[in-house]
Each structure stands twice: as structure tokens, then as C-alpha cells.
Amino acid sequence: MKTFFRLLDLSRPYHHYVPEYIVYIILYSILGLMNFGLLIPLMSALFDTGHQAVVTQLPEFSMSFGYVKDVFYYFLNQQLASGGGKFGVLIYICIVLFITIILKNIFGYLSQKVLTRMRVNMVRKMREKLFDQFSTQSLRFFHDERKGDLLSTISSDVVEVENSVVTSLQTLFRDPLVIISTFIALFVISKEMTLFTLVFFPISGWLITSVSKKLKRQSNKGQSLLGKIVNITEETLSGIRIIKAFNGEKFIRDKFDKDNIAFAQTVKAIQNQREMASPVSEILGVMVVVVIMMYGGYLILNHKSNLQPEMFIGYLALYFQILAPAKNIGSAITSMPKGLAAGERVLRIIDLDNAIKDKPDAKSLEGFKDAIVYDNITFRYNETPVLKNVTLTIPKGKMVALVGKSGAGKTTMADLLPRFYDVQGGKIMVDGQDIRDVKMHDLRAIMGMVSQEAILFNDTIFNNIAFGQENADKEEVIKAAKIANAHEFIIKQDNGYETEIGDRGMKLSGGQRQRLTIARAIFKNPPILILDEATSALDTESEKLVQDALDKLMENRTTIVIAHRLSTIQHADIIVVMDQGEIKEQGTHDQLIAVNGIYKKLVEMQEFK
């Protein structure tokens, strides 16, 4: 139940719901008892048993059940005294019964409204916390987690928590109170019969608990399979061209079908066991009622009990009222394991600590004035070091190119600067301050990035260029687009800058997408720029347009360029040659050619190609 209360904790503050709900549900329970309790005086009056209470004076007001009871019997006796007879009593009791039913349903509806407000608030907070984790976690988090599992968590897991756990709140909060209040009334009517019936409740509790434990195990397995299905689907949608190019349709479909069939079988087993709870609860409840009828009838017929016939009928009617809430509780308990299993996965993500965050005393960073310094840094993703004791100084206004074979550590060098990861040894300084000691927002505010993959969002061209900026000036956006050689193709679109570009900008060509990312960086106007293979995926014509835009972007900025095409970085102020996580050579193009080392070999290999 720890998971249940953790999920319930998301609905805080409780004072918005609990006092109001308690009032409504108590009134609901009392009125429900009155509905069936009215059978006793009705039977007594109609069949003239003479057991009804005689109240000849209207009692003085008091906040008690006795006052309500005496008022009821006072007016009932008034009906008998006025000559209305049994039919008058019948009309009187039916009117009271009708009023209590109306009031009971009104208070039931009001209590449901309170729980709905609580439920919506809880689910909203759950999604907010999950999305906050997704958007603020370091990149290492996304290396360890599968995208399909994360998408499954914020969609199907949250829905399952809502359907199973949150929907059960009404049952678990209201129905136990109804059962308790009904049992109190049953004890008042007959202690011996009520104690006799309590023997049967541990049996039903044991059956429901056994089913629940098995359901939770199956639910964990089912949600894991669903995560795989979502992951395969996402990979298929993203890589559909490769799948078709390699005739991989059957392979990927077989892979999907395997997990889909396993998931379907698990769901079938879960549903079958969940549906078992309701008939089992009802059968047990009816069995108890049958036993009560036999036992109570035996006591009355053999004059072994002072229980009157009308009291016995009222007792049975009240006991039947327990069946529905008991059945609901049984169904809720067997429905909850699947939701609790989903809740555990939700809470696991929510509870993950963010390894990259501001220190409590983080300092502000005002612009960029001097230099970036990598001071003897070491970094590893797993056990193998990616960077080993790297030291590099990048003066303001200089263009530094990182070159080397794949896996040499170039992209990692760039990712460490905006703190996508934190170094494990040494430190990175901007203007003499360790970047771990400054506010992350300030650090990233002075940087812009253009990556090999053009990351765009399913929004308008305008919003993609002005990404992250509220109330962006349209003239500034157009100016940035012109510098990035993007304005001409933008105005040719159907809606110009308000054109929706589709998922990941798929309505545009590769060169157009890349020019939009450059326009986005120009609009931000950062003093530090990181270019990660920004032209490697483009054709010759697009590369020329993009390279021209990049040249404009790099003017008067401190730029870190990661490039495989060495022809694009020959004019760099500093070229850093990396190999196996270490800096092997450093200097200008001419200096490195003269050294006749790794860089010269790389240049010759590309020229030979």
C-alpha cells in the first residue's frame, strides 16, 4: 500500500477535498441506512404487529439520531391518530423514503464531484512531474532508458493508474464507510446474527488477496511488454526508409508480433482474473445471506430470539445493502494491482535524482568575456574512459576545430561544455569560473548549437526559429532567416513563416531544415557557438548554402566546430586532433601539415578520396 499512499500524496493539499468529502459521504451513508431502516416501521404499521414506538409529543431539537427517530415516529403516530389508517401510514413512509433517496443521491453526486476534482489534480501532477523529469534529466538518463518505456510510462501507465487506482478511490473511501455504518445498524438489531456472519469475511478476504498478488506480477510483465511494443513502433516509424530499403518488413513485423502476442496473452489472463472477483464476491455474499435467512428463521420459529419478524426483514434488507459495496471493494482490490504496478513505474521515474543540477549557492554568469578552459578533464560513459586528462584553452573570438576518427571524444568534448554531462575528473571553466559553480540557465544562455541532425519541432517556421523566446520580434526572426539563407524558401511556403513543418520538419528538405537550425542559432545570438558536423549530411548545393550561412553565423563568435570534412575547417584558428580520448596534435592547418603527423594523414586520406 506504500505505492498507493505515494500516489495519493500527489493530490495534496488534502484540505481542498477531505473535510468536504467526509461531510457528504457521512450524510450519504446515513440516508442509505434510513432507506432500508424505514422497512421496519412500515412492516410494523401495515401488519399491525404493535411494535412501533409511540411518540405523542414533538421532541425538543437535538443533534442526535434519537431526535430524528422520535420525530419520524411522532408524525407516523399522528397519521394513525388522524384516522388515515394503514394507507395513510404507507403514503407517509413512501414520501419520507422518496425524500431520503433524493437526498442520498444528491450527496453521493457531490461526494463524487469532490473525488473527480481530486482525481484530475492527481493525474495532472503525475504527468507534470514525469515531463519535468524528461525535460530536466541529463543525457545519461536517456542512455539508460528506452524511449518506448518512457513514452509508455507517461501515456499508458498514467492512464492505468487513473483507471485502476484513482477510479478505485470512490470505492475505497465510500464503500468501507457504508459497510461499517451498516454493520453498526445490524449490531443494534441483532448482535448474535451479526457476529455469526463475521466468520465468512476472512474467507472472501483471503480469496481476493490471493488473486491480487498474482495480478500484480502479471501487470508488471504486461507493462514491460507494452513498453517494448511502443519502442518497436517508434523505431519503425523513425526508420521506415531503412526497413524498406533492406527488405526488413517481415523481420520487424515478426519482432512486433512476438511481443504483441505475449502482451495479448498476459492481458487476457489479467482480465479473466479481474472479472473473477465480482462473481466470487457476489456468490460469497449471497451465500452469507442464505445462511442468515436459515439461521435467523430457525431462531424466530423456535422462539430462541426476541427478534420480531419486521426487524428480521429489516435486518435482511440492510444486509443486502452490504453486498453491493462489498462486491465493489472486491473488484477495486483486484483492479488495483495493475494500477499499482504502473504507479511504481511512474514513481521510479519521478524519484530519479537529476545528476546535473545547480548547486544551492550557484553564481550568475554575466555573458562571456575571456576564455573557455578544459583543465585536465576525464570522462567515461561506462568503464572505458572517453576523455583522458584533456587540457585545452579556447580564447574568446577564436574558431577551434575538433578533428579525429569516430569515437575519439570530439562530440563528448562539446557536450560537456553546456553540461549535458559533468566531468568525472578535472574541471571546465568559463571566464575563470568552474561551470559546475554557475547557474545552468546562465551557462546555456551564452551558447548556441547546430548539430548534424536538424532537430526541429512540429510547429510553425516562425516558432522554430524563435524557439525558447516568448514574444519574439518578427523583424528579428526574418533578419535571422535572411542571414541563414532561409528567407527565400520560407516566403515560398504556403503560409510563409506561419507554415507548419510537420514532425521533425519532414515537410522540408534536409538543407532547408539545417538552415532553419542555423537561423535559430543566429536569432539567439550567442557569444559561444557549437557546430557538430553541421554540413556532413547535405548534398553539394545545400552544403554550399549552409556553409555560407555558417560562415556568417561564426563571425565575431567563439566557435567550437566538430568536422569530418577537413576542407571546411582549414581556416580555423586552432585545430585540435584527438585520438582515443586524448589531444595528440594542436595548431593551425599549416602548422599541423608541417608536423607530418595524424592530421596530415587525415587530410591526405580525404584528398585521395
Side-chain angles (χ1 to χ4, degrees):
M1 291 301 287
K2 182 181 177 182
T3 302
F4 175 76
F5 288 114
R6 281 287 315 281
L7 294 169
L8 193 62
D9 197 51
L10 293 172
S11 64
R12 286 178 180 269
Y14 296 140
H15 67 265
H16 287 171
Y17 322 102
V18 174
E20 187 180 354
Y21 182 77
I22 288 174
V23 171
Y24 292 147
I25 208 64
I26 288 175
L27 291 171
Y28 172 86
S29 301
I30 292 172
L31 289 164
L33 288 174
M34 287 179 64
N35 292 341
F36 293 93
L38 287 170
L39 286 173
I40 296 173
L42 178 64
M43 299 296 293
S44 179
L46 290 180
F47 298 105
D48 198 20
T49 63
H51 296 118
Q52 69 266 23
V54 179
V55 180
T56 58
Q57 290 186 343
L58 191 66
E60 292 185 10
F61 176 78
S62 65
M63 293 294 292
S64 67
F65 175 74
Y67 170 75
V68 176
K69 177 184 174 185
D70 288 344
V71 168
F72 171 79
Y73 277 109
Y74 169 75
F75 284 108
L76 186 146
N77 286 308
Q78 287 292 100
Q79 283 289 329
L80 289 172
S82 66
K86 294 179 180 180
F87 186 69
V89 171
L90 176 63
I91 292 173
Y92 169 70
I93 293 178
C94 286
I95 291 171
V96 175
L97 180 64
F98 182 66
I99 292 171
T100 56
I101 289 174
I102 290 174
L103 291 174
K104 174 193 172 186
N105 283 280
I106 288 173
F107 288 120
Y109 169 72
L110 292 174
S111 67
Q112 179 59 36
K113 278 189 69 177
V114 175
L115 281 185
T116 298
R117 195 166 73 239
M118 180 179 176
R119 163 183 178 165
V120 170
N121 193 41
M122 184 192 301
V123 173
R124 177 182 60 81
K125 285 187 178 178
M126 205 182 305
R127 283 202 173 97
E128 282 178 357
K129 288 181 177 291
L130 281 171
F131 193 81
D132 283 345
Q133 286 289 68
F134 294 167
S135 59
T136 59
Q137 281 286 347
S138 69
L139 293 188
R140 187 179 292 277
F141 166 79
F142 298 97
H143 288 310
D144 298 335
E145 301 287 341
R146 289 187 307 189
K147 189 188 293 185
D149 288 338
L150 298 179
L151 292 173
S152 176
T153 298
I154 201 169
S155 54
S156 62
D157 279 347
V158 171
V159 170
E160 188 58 50
V161 170
E162 182 179 8
N163 291 340
S164 300
V165 179
V166 186
T167 304
S168 300
L169 288 177
Q170 179 181 352
T171 300
L172 297 176
F173 285 178
R174 183 191 66 187
D175 290 348
L177 185 60
V178 171
I179 291 174
I180 291 169
S181 59
T182 305
F183 262 111
I184 291 172
L186 293 174
F187 264 107
V188 171
I189 296 172
S190 175
K191 293 183 178 64
E192 53 189 3
M193 281 206 300
T194 306
L195 288 170
F196 174 75
T197 61
L198 290 177
V199 176
F200 295 92
F201 275 82
I203 299 172
S204 58
W206 174 78
L207 284 172
I208 292 171
T209 302
S210 301
V211 172
S212 297
K213 287 180 179 178
K214 191 172 182 181
L215 277 172
K216 189 171 182 181
R217 290 194 298 269
Q218 290 178 325
S219 296
N220 279 321
K221 179 184 176 183
Q223 288 304 111
S224 176
L225 288 168
L226 182 58
K228 287 184 178 180
I229 289 171
V230 174
N231 202 60
I232 293 170
T233 304
E234 194 278 331
E235 288 179 343
T236 301
L237 295 175
S238 300
I240 191 66
R241 292 188 180 186
I242 298 300
I243 292 170
K244 290 182 176 296
F246 284 83
N247 288 323
E249 290 96 333
K250 185 179 184 302
F251 171 79
I252 202 74
R253 188 169 58 248
D254 290 345
K255 186 177 178 182
F256 177 87
D257 287 347
K258 179 183 176 183
D259 287 332
N260 194 35
I261 291 169
F263 176 69
Q265 291 173 341
T266 304
V267 169
K268 183 172 68 176
I270 291 171
Q271 292 294 343
N272 287 340
Q273 292 188 36
R274 285 170 78 172
E275 292 302 322
M276 189 196 307
S278 180
V280 166
S281 298
E282 188 164 346
I283 290 168
L284 288 171
V286 171
M287 183 181 71
V288 173
V289 171
V290 170
V291 172
I292 290 173
M293 291 174 67
M294 295 171 61
Y295 180 66
Y298 169 79
L299 293 177
I300 292 172
L301 292 173
N302 289 279
H303 306 289
K304 293 185 178 182
S305 172
N306 294 324
L307 196 65
Q308 302 301 323
E310 66 270 21
M311 297 289 283
F312 181 56
I313 292 172
Y315 186 95
L316 289 176
L318 283 172
Y319 207 95
F320 266 106
Q321 192 181 13
I322 291 176
L323 296 184
K327 180 180 175 181
N328 293 339
I329 291 173
S331 298
I333 290 173
T334 51
S335 294
M336 280 184 65
K338 189 176 180 183
L340 291 175
E344 286 175 1
R345 287 186 292 275
V346 169
L347 292 173
R348 182 187 71 83
I349 300 295
I350 290 175
D351 291 340
L352 283 175
D353 188 36
N354 190 350
I356 311 256
K357 55 187 175 184
D358 286 338
K359 292 181 178 179
D361 58 345
K363 302 172 185 176
S364 297
L365 184 64
E366 301 292 339
F368 175 55
K369 303 180 181 73
D370 184 24
I372 300 166
V373 177
Y374 290 80
D375 185 9
N376 199 34
I377 65 166
T378 300
F379 180 81
R380 62 175 59 85
Y381 291 107
N382 298 308
E383 296 301 321
T384 307
V386 178
L387 296 173
K388 296 173 279 189
N389 307 114
V390 173
T391 297
L392 175 66
T393 298
I394 305 173
K396 181 182 178 181
K398 300 296 183 181
M399 174 184 172
V400 175
L402 304 178
V403 301
K405 299 176 183 177
S406 295
K410 306 183 297 297
T411 299
T412 302
M413 284 277 286
D415 286 345
L416 289 172
L417 184 56
R419 288 192 71 193
F420 293 159
Y421 308 93
D422 269 343
V423 296
Q424 281 119 18
K427 57 186 176 181
I428 301 174
M429 294 181 289
V430 173
D431 291 344
Q433 294 189 80
D434 191 324
I435 60 174
R436 291 170 294 189
D437 296 332
V438 301
K439 293 179 181 177
M440 208 154 19
H441 180 274
D442 292 353
L443 176 67
R444 292 173 181 172
I446 63 171
M447 298 180 190
M449 179 174 284
V450 180
S451 60
Q452 179 178 0
E453 181 184 2
I455 306 296
L456 296 171
F457 302 93
N458 194 351
D459 205 333
T460 63
I461 290 174
F462 181 92
N463 289 338
N464 270 280
I465 295 175
F467 182 75
Q469 303 291 323
E470 294 183 7
N471 303 316
D473 182 80
K474 187 171 183 178
E475 293 302 319
E476 291 298 319
V477 170
I478 293 173
K479 181 180 176 182
K482 286 180 177 178
I483 296 172
N485 293 331
H487 180 70
E488 287 187 9
F489 85 77
I490 293 173
I491 60 176
K492 291 178 182 178
Q493 303 296 314
D494 292 339
N495 296 309
Y497 282 83
E498 296 305 317
T499 301
E500 298 276 349
I501 62 174
D503 185 33
R504 301 183 185 182
M506 293 304 291
K507 293 181 181 180
L508 305 176
S509 69
Q512 290 172 338
R513 290 198 297 269
Q514 195 65 292
R515 278 178 276 167
L516 283 190
T517 65
I518 294 169
R520 181 170 60 201
I522 293 171
F523 180 79
K524 186 178 182 182
N525 194 27
I528 300 172
L529 188 63
I530 300 171
L531 305 178
D532 187 357
E533 305 282 358
T535 63
S536 62
L538 303 177
D539 59 76
T540 305
E541 183 179 353
S542 296
E543 181 185 2
K544 183 179 179 182
L545 288 168
V546 170
Q547 190 60 52
D548 181 55
L550 289 173
D551 291 340
K552 295 175 185 176
L553 175 61
M554 289 187 287
E555 288 178 4
N556 303 317
R557 299 181 201 277
T558 305
T559 308
I560 300 173
V561 181
I562 301 169
H564 280 148
R565 296 186 185 179
L566 303 183
S567 59
T568 62
I569 51 92
Q570 291 182 8
H571 60 289
D573 298 296
I574 304 171
I575 297 174
V576 177
V577 183
M578 301 192 68
D579 187 46
Q580 296 183 347
E582 297 179 324
I583 294 177
K584 298 295 186 180
E585 298 172 3
Q586 184 176 331
T588 64
H589 172 77
D590 293 336
Q591 288 171 341
L592 294 177
I593 291 294
V595 169
N596 197 25
I598 298 174
Y599 179 75
K600 185 176 180 181
K601 290 180 181 177
L602 291 173
V603 172
E604 288 174 346
M605 286 175 63
Q606 291 199 3
E607 287 177 347
F608 179 75
K609 289 179 182 177

